[in-house]
Amino acid sequence: MYNMKFNFLLLPTFFINLMLMPSCSSGIDKEQIYKISLDCKDDATSSVYNVINKINKEEETTISFQKGIYHFYPEYAYEKYCYISNHNDVLARIAFMFKNKNNITIDGNGSTFIFHGRMIPFLMENCKNINVKNLSIDFSDSFHSESQITSHNSDGSFDMKISNEYPYEIRNGQLVFVKPYYEHTLGQSILYDPQRKAIAYQTELFTPITTLTKVKEKNYNDFGYKYKTDLKDEYIRYRGKQDQLEVEQLKPGLVRVYNHRKKLPPIGMILASKGEQGENRFAPAFKVNDTYGFYAENVIVHHAGGMGFLFENCKDVDLYKCMIEPSGNRMVSTTADATHFVGCGGKVSLRDCVFHNQLDDAMNVHGAYQEIYEIIDNKTLRMRVGHFQQLGFKLANPGDTVGVVRLSDSFHAFCKLTVKETDQVNGRYQIIHLNEPIPDNVKVGDLLENLSAYPEIIVENCDISRNRARGLLISSPKKTTIRNNYFSTEMEAILFPVESSSWFESGNAANVYIEGNTFQDCTSGGMNRGVICFRTDDKNKNIAFSNINIIGNKFNHFDNLILEITNVDGLNFINNEITNTGTFPQQFPDNPVFTVSYSKNINFSNNKYEGKAEKMIETKDCNETIEFK
């Protein structure tokens, strides 16, 4: 047993015996226990790195922290180039780096871990049975900045007050927020209501602040690239664009903003800004790759420069009593999703969790579409990643079943093949070697998805509120249970998408049970969307979703539209209650309560409605009579 004390402080250390996850191997005879204690002023990075390097893969290991505040700086941190799904790809500094480690328990015993600069707190690769509990994560300096709208001016400008917590400078007429290890412009931005500490009502009318406009003069023609390009790639992203805004300082901490093209943001609201898209996601709190068995309990993420928990190609993930919640007076917790799962299998569970104030969805579960760019021979395909923030994502492992999809014909695979091996040529392209010959009807331009990489999903007893965007995005054909949760979101509470035009996120929801939830004043941001939506990018009549059950829920809503049903075969809406709260003015009073398009076998029964809508159901291309009961 290793007992580490830093600065020679005679601090008491202790170890709490921990129950191992049920999936841990029972054949392990030895256990490694590391106790860590230190003065809160120390940099714990190097010492934690040394402990992790001593871990024997074959032995069960517990790293136990004496309760306290631990600081982590990037100078001595492990460095690795990371492809990070739905983030920027970066040369990252990592505090807790676990690679090829098994049966690890990290117990913070109530400690707070504070990170400084551009760091990824936890990265796990090719691990098994990882258990993290009883700790909180925060950053000393946030990856976003906040300012308060103080006045409107007759020339169409507005003024903002910026506290000392968010240092800035005016650079060539542009507002740049400067941190010790990082800086960002206004970029993507959204309004928070400080009274509710939630996204402001109808923020979409006022934000994002319009920072860019087209250039007036250019001395070149569009380039003819030999290969397909991504217009969001770094070398193309700003081509043809220039700064739209002009910012001047009136006095320290007070600036005036000119040339915003949307409505002026309401006085008193807090503007949260995180820099330009494509440059503001690079430091998730947890990045977990190719790991089987991850359990987190009582883990709080106060802030991260990206997502809270990101899982890629993992199996069996359980988050229990975890929380995404901003610290202090900050309005923002994570600057992207609270949790994100791509290419995962087994079972994914969120139980008794709280997800507040993140700048994107509480949960997003999906696979990945990659384009067949070349048929090299009858068993070999060259695949292309579509979105620049999906670079480096491994589509499949040997033995996985992949499906070929042509969305113009069907949202489901018309051909299934098994993978022999994959060759990751670079971040954009990989070569897939198959066990079977490729059928003649497979064409360049078709999409490939990994049919083995979808999980069963359970979300229960969670509080999902006060955040930007949606609550849950679900794209899995396996059974999904969403039970006894509370939703209050800026956009949809639950979205079931087929996304093939930008992010290339694959999957078709089926076998869904939405039971006993409360939906409180969702879709308050100003977009015309239902509380629960089924949506496809390819506007056709093909069935994408099936066996949907929405039973015994309460919809307390200030507006009309509750449910958008599109491309669905089999939906039961039973024993639900709908009321009008009057919390906000109605945004779209002419909307019906339900819209149904390209769908069949839709059943409404034993529901109660006490709202203001004049029309209950609006249908399009449905060959059956649908009545609200």
Side-chain angles (χ1 to χ4, degrees), residues 191-201 268-270 331 584:
L191 290 173
Y192 272 87
D193 182 340
Q195 300 301 317
R196 297 166 43 239
K197 203 172 183 180
I199 298 294
Y201 172 66
M269 296 295 106
I270 302 297
M331 292 289 159
F584 306 110

Side-chain angles (χ1 to χ4, degrees), residues 390-405:
Q390 299 283 11
L391 295 179
F393 178 74
K394 179 174 61 177
L395 182 64
N397 291 309
D400 285 349
T401 298
V402 293
V404 185
V405 183

Side-chain angles (χ1 to χ4, degrees), residues 69 157 189 211 216 299 339 373 457 462 510 521 557 580 597 604 628:
I69 298 175
S157 64
S189 54
T211 59
K216 296 179 180 179
V299 174
T339 70
Y373 203 67
I457 302 165
C462 294
D521 293 314
H557 197 33
N580 186 282
S597 304
F604 292 90
F628 180 79

Side-chain angles (χ1 to χ4, degrees), residues 20-33 55-62 101-105 128-130:
L20 292 173
M21 296 167 56
S23 57
C24 287
S25 171
S26 59
I28 298 174
D29 296 325
K30 296 182 180 181
E31 181 180 8
Q32 302 175 106
I33 301 172
I55 293 175
N56 186 328
K57 177 181 178 181
E58 305 304 321
E59 294 181 341
E60 178 183 309
T61 302
T62 295
K101 305 289 187 183
N102 299 337
N103 307 304
I104 307 291
T105 295
K128 292 181 180 179
N129 301 323
I130 303 296

